[in-house]
Amino acid sequence: MTIDDVLNDLRAKIGDKLPKGITISGLEFEGPELVIYTTEPRAFADNGDIIRSLAKDLRKRIVVRPDPKMLLDAEQAIDKIKQIVPAESGLSDFYFDPDTGEVIIEAEKPGLVIGRHGSTLREITKHIGWTPKVVRTPPIESSTVKNIRQYLRTVKDERKQILKTIGRKIHRPVSTKDQWIRVTTLGGCKEVGRSSFLLSTPETKILIDCGVNTGAESNGTPYLYVPEVSPLSNLDAVVITHAHLDHSGIVPLLFKYGYEGPIYTTPPTRDLSALLQLDYIEVANREGKRPPYDSAMIREALKRTITLNHGDVTDIAPDVRLTFYNSGHILGSAIAHFHIGEGLYNVAFTGDFKYEKSKLFDAAINNFPRVETVIMESTYGGMHDMQPARREAEVEIQQVIKATLARGGKVLIPTFAVGRSQEVMIVLEEAIRRGVIDNVPVYLDGMIWEATAIHTTYPEYLNVELQDMIFHKGQNPFLSPSFVQVDSPQKREKILADPSPCIVLATSGMMNGGPVMEYLKSYGHDKRNTLIFVGYQAEGTMGRRIQKGWNELPMSTGGKTEIMKINLQVTTVDGFSGHSDRRQLMEYVKRMDPRPERIITNHGDENKCLDLASSIYKKYKLETKSPMNLETIRLI
């Protein structure tokens, strides 16, 4: 059966189930969605149960779009939307896509545009023909989000053809009756960095994560040249769990070497990945290194990215369905759950996860419809890798800052732009608002402001309490007047020359470059100041050396290397990590429902991966394995 035969069969089934008077003018696979074109979009809008019933019966993600000739003129459509939607919704912008028949409506209060059970959206569809999609107006404008949306609009024609090609490949008939599933480890096993796995069936090849170890002199990229993966054009899909470079940093390189398929990830991960990848190129050029790809490859990746929200069940191959679940690590991070065959097997890749509620996110999900194998991280999997409770860490950092400010000192906090910065920001905002620490300026230098802007674009990915503060109490901690963006070298120079007490959050988190080094040069000699580490410091980094007690450091200034004395107080506050500690990792497995048959550990130093695997086996009597890179494990 050809793909056209499949579409004809689906068209007949849909026709049989539609009420009289409703016809379809076209049917096409576009990416993972089955798109129904109709000249009666109002009929579908009036009966919201039609789509749900069709999706359930056909087991497809179904989207209804109006026949292009039914679309109201854009200006008239905007006027009609404004008549239908309550004024207090705060409508801010509209983007029309004639190829998809969608209008993206930006609003400060999307719920008022959606209406109860989608009633307002259906009313909009009835009157304008276009399919409305509502997004929140970002309270802090992100140039990254704005540029990505603008770019995707400029390539809409090409993207539509790409989605059609992808859709026909996804929904092709299964060509073999053989049943086996294998996982090949391409990076991130018994190490931290360059995470990458290949999930294979007789029908499908899926790459899960494609990261880079930015600090490695060699072996910094996954083994993408091995026969299991090569040629890259044979891959059906790439799935990215989150935006950190050790999981997403090499994705654009795939398009340089022949990959033309889709990338699946959450909307925040798409935007954060682009931000971090562009910065990766910039840092490499600044350090005189040759980056592995250029910005054109990042745009190619964006063009082929298909975003899925947590909980969406989506066909990504003839025999594989993907569902993302919250992993609690950073904004948009996800556990990738694969349902293979018609109930044949289920495997989950945790990526990085945090099994504890934080100031930003809910705890990682460990309840799945079914799961037989779990491939989980082991960053803090060693027997003694225990972190204090998050509340203890919050109190400790507040006390350290309070003491520093009291003696007239400055606080320097090296942070990763995505995740740790925003966690610390919320703790500082609350402490300043409640008077626990003095109301001093909190300077944000590096990519922190832009990463925070992306967080404000996707508040629905934050935890319930934070959403409640933002949506119902009108309190967005990221908008605190205490936070000051450092957006130029000139502004940084003024801050460095100002003797007043302050708090500085600056990248990079491990102090291996970035603006944080300028602050260290200025603040390092003064005993009144404090350097606070809130994240992991890898061996060989400047941060690790300072953490170990080095008080004389070689610093490059104007092309010359000078020795700088470190006199400021150095403190490490554990508990802000986005990774689960040993106790949480064990608890995650213990409370997993359903109970898996097998656990595979990765993303940790060799001894930690082995220790965690051994402990899970001894305590829970589950089959475990801690593979090396380049191993292939047969699951069935």
Side-chain angles (χ1 to χ4, degrees):
M1 181 181 285
T2 67
I3 193 68
D4 289 312
D5 292 331
V6 173
L7 282 169
N8 289 332
D9 183 54
L10 287 170
R11 185 167 187 155
K13 289 179 179 178
I14 292 170
D16 290 341
K17 293 179 180 296
L18 290 180
K20 290 183 179 180
I22 300 180
T23 59
I24 57 178
S25 57
L27 191 70
E28 186 60 80
F29 288 122
E30 295 181 15
E33 297 173 332
L34 178 63
V35 181
I36 300 173
Y37 290 94
T38 178
T39 55
E40 293 98 10
R42 296 186 185 186
F44 282 93
D46 282 336
N47 190 343
D49 292 332
I50 294 178
I51 302 302
R52 285 191 292 272
S53 176
L54 286 173
K56 183 179 179 181
D57 291 343
L58 302 178
R59 301 185 71 183
K60 305 287 184 188
R61 287 185 67 193
I62 295 177
V63 174
V64 174
R65 292 182 184 147
D67 191 293
K69 63 186 178 186
M70 302 297 297
L71 303 178
L72 195 65
D73 173 75
E75 292 302 319
Q76 293 177 316
I78 290 173
D79 290 339
K80 182 59 70 174
I81 292 169
K82 289 180 177 179
Q83 292 173 21
I84 296 171
V85 175
E88 57 269 27
S89 66
L91 295 173
S92 60
D93 217 338
F94 307 87
Y95 303 114
F96 291 87
D97 187 344
D99 291 303
T100 63
E102 285 187 345
V103 54
I104 297 176
I105 305 171
E106 279 194 357
E108 294 174 5
K109 298 179 180 178
L112 294 179
V113 183
I114 296 170
R116 185 175 178 83
H117 302 303
S119 58
T120 307
L121 284 185
R122 289 194 293 275
E123 189 70 14
I124 292 171
T125 302
K126 283 168 59 177
H127 286 87
I128 70 173
W130 298 84
T131 302
K133 180 180 179 182
V134 188
V135 298
R136 184 173 304 278
T137 304
I140 304 175
E141 185 175 80
S142 162
S143 59
T144 302
V145 173
K146 185 176 181 180
N147 290 339
I148 288 173
R149 289 179 180 174
Q150 184 176 356
Y151 170 69
L152 292 177
R153 287 195 295 274
T154 64
V155 296
K156 62 181 184 298
D157 294 338
E158 185 180 357
R159 180 171 165 81
K160 186 168 185 178
Q161 286 304 122
I162 290 170
L163 290 176
K164 283 185 177 180
T165 302
I166 292 170
R168 286 175 169 253
K169 190 174 182 181
I170 291 172
H171 298 284
R172 68 185 186 271
V174 174
S175 61
T176 178
K177 294 183 179 180
D178 290 345
Q179 292 185 338
W180 51 259
I181 301 167
R182 302 190 305 171
V183 171
T184 303
T185 58
L186 303 173
C189 289
K190 296 183 178 176
E191 63 179 1
V192 175
R194 61 169 177 171
S195 289
S196 192
F197 292 86
L198 181 72
L199 179 64
S200 305
T201 73
E203 192 72 37
T204 303
K205 288 185 176 182
I206 298 169
L207 191 69
I208 297 99
D209 285 341
C210 191
V212 60
N213 186 341
T214 56
E217 294 295 327
S218 60
N219 297 328
T221 60
Y223 294 96
L224 297 175
Y225 57 83
V226 297
E228 289 86 346
V229 188
S230 183
L232 295 176
S233 57
N234 286 346
L235 291 174
D236 288 87
V238 175
V239 175
I240 303 300
T241 60
H242 68 284
H244 281 152
L245 289 176
D246 61 327
H247 292 257
S248 75
I250 293 296
V251 169
L253 189 68
L254 300 174
F255 295 92
K256 187 175 180 179
Y257 291 107
Y259 181 62
E260 295 183 344
I263 300 167
Y264 295 94
T265 194
T266 64
T269 296
R270 177 197 62 189
D271 297 351
L272 289 170
S273 293
L275 173 68
L276 295 177
Q277 289 160 4
L278 287 168
D279 183 68
Y280 176 46
I281 293 174
E282 183 181 332
V283 170
N285 287 326
R286 192 166 58 238
E287 295 177 351
K289 299 176 181 178
R290 185 178 179 181
Y293 50 81
D294 57 24
S295 58
M297 294 298 98
I298 297 176
R299 290 193 295 273
E300 193 65 31
L302 285 170
K303 191 191 305 178
R304 296 173 180 276
T305 296
I306 297 172
T307 57
L308 305 173
N309 293 314
H310 290 157
D312 289 346
V313 182
T314 306
D315 290 304
I316 63 170
D319 57 343
V320 179
R321 292 190 183 96
L322 167 67
T323 310
F324 284 136
Y325 294 90
N326 171 49
S327 76
H329 178 61
I330 63 170
L331 185 74
S333 62
I335 296 165
H337 179 277
F338 298 90
H339 178 83
I340 303 167
E342 296 302 324
L344 177 64
Y345 203 80
N346 296 264
V347 56
F349 292 78
T350 68
D352 296 348
F353 72 93
K354 182 74 170 178
Y355 191 48
E356 176 189 26
K357 190 168 188 174
S358 68
K359 287 287 187 182
L360 282 176
F361 310 114
D362 291 321
I365 296 294
N366 63 348
N367 292 337
F368 308 102
R370 267 186 57 187
V371 65
E372 281 76 44
T373 290
V374 176
I375 298 169
M376 66 182 289
E377 68 137 312
S378 315
T379 312
Y380 294 112
M383 185 177 297
H384 303 294
D385 289 338
M386 303 298 184
Q387 298 177 13
R390 184 60 61 98
R391 182 57 191 159
E392 292 177 24
E394 294 168 9
V395 171
E396 183 180 358
I397 197 171
Q398 290 170 3
Q399 290 175 343
V400 173
I401 292 173
K402 185 175 182 179
T404 303
L405 299 178
R407 61 176 181 258
K410 301 171 184 289
V411 177
L412 176 59
I413 307 176
T415 53
F416 305 104
V418 179
R420 290 327 99 220
S421 294
Q422 291 73 36
E423 286 275 358
V424 174
M425 284 172 67
I426 290 181
V427 172
L428 295 180
E429 185 276 335
E430 182 180 1
I432 291 172
R433 176 163 41 88
R434 294 183 175 180
V436 177
I437 60 177
D438 294 341
N439 189 2
V440 299
V442 180
Y443 297 111
L444 309 176
D445 205 337
M447 288 193 302
I448 297 172
W449 185 268
E450 178 61 22
T452 302
I454 295 175
H455 279 69
T456 69
T457 305
Y458 298 104
E460 63 273 20
Y461 280 83
L462 305 175
N463 68 35
V464 176
E465 285 74 17
L466 199 47
Q467 287 186 49
D468 185 59
M469 282 182 64
I470 294 170
F471 296 152
H472 304 299
K473 298 179 181 178
Q475 296 178 359
N476 191 328
F478 295 125
L479 304 181
S480 169
S482 298
F483 298 130
V484 181
Q485 179 187 13
V486 183
D487 53 6
S488 69
Q490 293 76 21
K491 192 163 188 176
R492 185 181 304 128
E493 289 300 322
K494 287 183 179 179
I495 295 167
L496 292 173
D498 188 343
S500 307
C502 65
I503 302 169
V504 177
L505 273 66
T507 55
S508 70
M510 296 187 191
M511 306 189 75
N512 51 355
V516 70
M517 301 310 294
E518 298 301 316
Y519 294 96
L520 181 65
K521 291 175 185 177
S522 180
Y523 299 165
H525 68 282
D526 195 332
K527 293 181 179 179
R528 295 177 301 170
N529 300 332
T530 301
L531 175 67
I532 304 178
F533 290 111
V534 293
Y536 178 71
Q537 304 299 306
E539 285 294 339
T541 62
M542 185 70 75
R544 185 63 174 150
R545 291 168 188 162
I546 296 173
Q547 204 175 42
K548 284 181 175 179
W550 289 30
N551 55 19
E552 292 187 353
L553 298 170
M555 302 287 287
S556 179
T557 305
K560 296 181 179 179
T561 300
E562 300 176 352
I563 299 300
M564 186 184 73
K565 282 194 170 290
I566 299 294
N567 295 322
L568 82 177
Q569 178 184 338
V570 178
T571 301
T572 298
V573 178
D574 292 319
F576 282 99
S577 174
H579 297 272
S580 292
D581 68 2
R582 165 59 176 251
R583 186 185 302 107
Q584 291 167 2
L585 291 170
M586 294 295 290
E587 195 70 9
Y588 183 83
V589 175
K590 176 183 178 181
R591 296 184 179 277
M592 190 169 289
D593 184 25
R595 185 182 177 89
E597 299 170 357
R598 179 191 291 112
I599 301 287
I600 298 172
T601 61
N602 77 108
H603 198 287
D605 295 338
E606 180 174 357
N607 64 315
K608 298 181 188 296
C609 290
L610 291 169
D611 192 346
L612 182 62
S614 174
S615 299
I616 291 171
Y617 170 73
K618 291 176 182 176
K619 189 165 186 178
Y620 303 129
K621 309 305 180 191
L622 295 175
E623 178 187 339
T624 60
K625 186 173 180 62
S626 179
M628 297 172 60
N629 288 330
L630 294 178
E631 286 192 40
T632 293
I633 304 166
R634 182 169 178 174
L635 304 183
I636 63 167

